[in-house]
């Protein structure tokens, strides 16, 4: 397991966090790197498999109370509009929500991503071809929504865990096999 270049405390400076960029980017490439940060206090990690692109990503996205800029960049790229390739800016609080959901469920399984960022053009196209199943002012267009499932976790349990957190919107789509999570107002459908 790689050694961290210096110890972390509750008062770790932003400069030190930014200096770890090479270590954190390794988390997107090396599967063992996120585990190396497991012992770092307040390290928050996520892992994903994108169902449309086939890509996988595992990384530490936050240390203590700071989001890691390099990790956010990687997440923005990973959650890009898979139809057009457009990259949006995802709300970092969405990653905290996903982290909390996994904690609530007691799993470390990677999220299977159905949809992350969606460009306005893609949203309009999907609205006109999906029979009304796509919101005109979708939070996907502003990086505040994601559609996911967790292998081995029933969709009802994923939905219920998200609802219990009361951190945003939760949509349940059993026939499409996903749960929509967003950082908008607390609501359900």
């Amino acid at each position: 397991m790689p050694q961290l270049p210096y110890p972390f405390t509750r008062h770790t400076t932003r400069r030190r966090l930014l200096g770890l960029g090479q270590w954190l980017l390794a988390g997107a490439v090396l599967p063992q790197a996120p585990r190396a940060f497991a012992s770092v206090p307040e390290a928050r990690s996520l892992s994903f498999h994108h169902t449309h692109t086939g890509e996988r990503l595992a990384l530490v996205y936050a240390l203590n109370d700071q989001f890691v800029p390099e990790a956010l960049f990687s997440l923005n790229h990973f959650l890009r509009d898979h139809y057009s390739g457009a990259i949006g800016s995802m709300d970092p609080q969405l990653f905290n929500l996903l982290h909390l959901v996994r904690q609530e469920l007691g799993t470390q399984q990677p999220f299977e991503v159905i949809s992350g960022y969606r460009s306005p053009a893609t949203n309009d196209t999907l609205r006109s071809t999906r029979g009304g199943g796509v919101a005109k002012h979708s939070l996907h267009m502003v990086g505040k929504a994601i559609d996911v499932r967790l292998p081995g976790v029933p969709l009802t349990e994923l939905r219920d865990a998200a609802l219990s957190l009361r951190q945003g919107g939760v949509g349940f789509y059993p026939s499409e096999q996903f749960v929509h999570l967003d950082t908008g107002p607390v609501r359900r459908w």
Side-chain angles (χ1 to χ4, degrees):
M1 182 177 303
Q3 289 290 92
L4 295 175
Y6 37 76
F8 282 88
T9 67
R10 290 197 72 65
H11 304 289
T12 299
T13 66
R14 178 171 170 78
R15 179 174 293 172
R16 281 189 166 184
L17 291 174
L18 292 174
L20 282 178
Q22 64 186 1
W23 288 85
L24 297 169
L25 285 176
V29 179
L30 302 172
Q32 70 274 14
R35 283 184 239 121
F37 286 104
S39 63
V40 176
E42 306 274 338
R44 294 187 301 278
S45 64
L46 288 169
S47 57
F48 300 95
H49 172 240
H50 201 296
T51 61
H52 295 286
T53 66
E55 296 171 315
R56 294 181 183 275
L57 180 67
L59 47 63
V60 170
Y61 72 91
L63 295 168
N64 295 316
D65 61 350
Q66 297 290 315
F67 291 106
V68 179
E70 294 87 350
L72 296 180
F73 178 83
S74 294
L75 285 160
N76 286 340
H77 181 265
F78 182 82
L79 295 171
R80 69 194 178 276
D81 182 331
H82 65 270
Y83 292 98
S84 69
I87 298 172
S89 180
M90 301 300 292
D91 178 5
Q93 294 306 320
L94 187 60
F95 307 130
N96 279 340
L97 175 58
L98 292 169
H99 181 74
L100 289 171
V101 166
R102 275 201 338 187
Q103 282 185 318
E104 184 76 16
L105 292 167
T107 183
Q108 289 300 308
Q109 287 289 349
F111 282 99
E112 291 182 346
V113 176
I114 288 61
S115 182
Y117 172 74
R118 195 182 298 149
S119 71
T122 295
N123 200 70
D124 287 345
T125 299
L126 293 176
R127 274 183 52 74
S128 65
T129 60
R130 299 277 168 103
V134 176
K136 183 175 185 177
H137 300 289
S138 172
L139 291 177
H140 286 277
M141 296 188 300
V142 291
K144 292 181 176 258
I146 192 167
D147 299 333
V148 294
R149 59 181 168 244
L150 273 167
V153 176
L155 282 180
T156 54
E157 289 182 28
L158 176 57
R159 175 202 61 202
D160 293 347
L163 287 170
S164 74
L165 296 170
R166 301 193 48 77
Q167 300 268 326
V170 179
F172 184 57
Y173 297 89
S175 59
E176 292 88 356
Q177 287 294 295
F178 70 83
V179 173
H180 166 99
L181 304 173
D182 68 51
T183 56
V186 175
R187 65 211 188 287
R188 67 183 294 172
W189 63 94

